Amino acid sequence: MQLDKMISFYKAIGDPTRIRIVSLLKNGPLHGQAIAHKLGLRPPTITHHLKKLRDTGVLYSRRDKNTIYFYLDAKRLEFMATAILRLGDDPLKQEEMYMSETDQLKVMRSFISKEGKLTRIPSQLKKKLVVLSYYVQGFEHGKLYTEQEVNEYVLTFHEDYAAIRREWVMHQFMYREQGKYELNPKEMWPLVVKR
């Protein structure tokens, strides 16, 4: 469940050493030895904390010859840190996201062909959410999907499966963990279109 993932994130980030590591990496990538030196800690301790942060997805690493550099994914950190504020949002109560059923139908007619294919991904967020909500409902709640299964489903209506997958995860229709995808509860979706 997405809620479990949020709890794991807050537990992982709620450690003083990990907060200090995030603070250091905010200024640019560093290797483990440099982080250990700056914090006055032993490298094995830093390795432990880096693993916990990587597991949340807020850090990623790149190898340069024999040295591994750690990078902060600031956008992911901000997204995860503010997820609790979006939990339970009802977009129909948010004026900027409001769209009547009639307008939703117009959007679907504009972007979805009679054969059910997505002609193009809308650039306007409200319209994009309508389209994403419409198609994501082809998945079952409580079922895990492989990336290949998600790609195959998307290919039935659009060729750019990577973009659609990314949008579903980014807008909290789905979440991804270790290459598996699952629908979030509808209460977490930014918009639910009647299908």
Side-chain angles (χ1 to χ4, degrees):
M1 287 292 293
Q2 183 70 16
L3 194 56
D4 292 340
K5 192 173 181 181
M6 286 173 60
I7 290 167
S8 296
F9 166 78
Y10 286 113
K11 281 182 180 176
I13 207 76
D15 178 273
T17 300
R18 291 177 208 146
I19 290 173
R20 291 169 66 204
I21 291 171
V22 167
S23 181
L24 283 174
L25 294 177
K26 187 175 64 171
N27 299 318
L30 292 169
H31 56 78
Q33 293 285 343
I35 295 169
H37 176 73
K38 287 177 183 283
L39 296 181
L41 296 170
R42 294 178 52 235
T45 303
I46 294 302
T47 301
H48 166 76
H49 289 294
L50 288 171
K51 182 186 181 321
K52 293 283 187 183
L53 288 169
R54 278 177 51 182
D55 288 347
T56 68
V58 300
L59 290 190
Y60 61 95
S61 59
R62 294 224 170 102
R63 180 178 289 277
D64 183 13
K65 297 180 183 164
N66 291 332
T67 308
I68 298 173
Y69 287 89
F70 295 91
Y71 295 76
L72 178 67
D73 186 340
K75 288 191 181 214
R76 173 98 173 142
L77 175 62
E78 183 179 1
F79 178 80
M80 292 295 288
T82 59
I84 196 166
L85 298 174
R86 294 185 301 277
L87 196 59
D89 279 357
D90 183 357
L92 296 179
K93 291 180 183 172
Q94 300 172 9
E95 194 170 318
E96 69 273 8
M97 295 306 295
Y98 177 77
M99 186 177 283
S100 69
E101 283 187 41
T102 305
D103 289 339
Q104 290 175 12
L105 286 171
K106 285 180 187 173
V107 169
M108 288 190 284
R109 276 189 237 122
S110 298
F111 293 94
I112 301 172
S113 72
K114 291 178 182 173
E115 296 79 30
K117 305 279 186 188
L118 180 60
T119 56
R120 69 184 189 282
I121 300 172
S123 56
Q124 187 181 4
L125 180 60
K126 286 196 290 190
K127 293 177 181 178
K128 186 187 296 182
L129 293 177
V130 169
V131 168
L132 292 171
S133 174
Y134 174 79
Y135 284 114
V136 81
Q137 294 178 63
F139 295 104
E140 293 177 40
H141 279 278
K143 183 176 176 184
L144 287 176
Y145 293 89
T146 65
E147 190 167 285
Q148 183 62 36
E149 289 172 316
V150 174
N151 292 349
E152 287 171 6
Y153 170 64
V154 174
L155 284 171
T156 65
F157 63 86
H158 197 264
E159 61 193 28
D160 193 350
Y161 52 82
I164 299 292
R165 269 194 347 251
R166 189 170 44 252
E167 293 284 350
W168 278 333
V169 171
M170 192 168 60
H171 295 295
Q172 295 194 45
F173 289 101
M174 302 184 93
Y175 80 97
R176 176 184 60 223
E177 190 169 12
Q178 297 177 349
K180 301 285 185 182
Y181 293 76
E182 186 177 355
L183 285 178
N184 279 324
K186 283 190 177 180
E187 293 79 19
M188 294 181 70
W189 293 7
L191 184 70
V192 181
V193 171
K194 287 188 179 175
R195 192 160 183 193

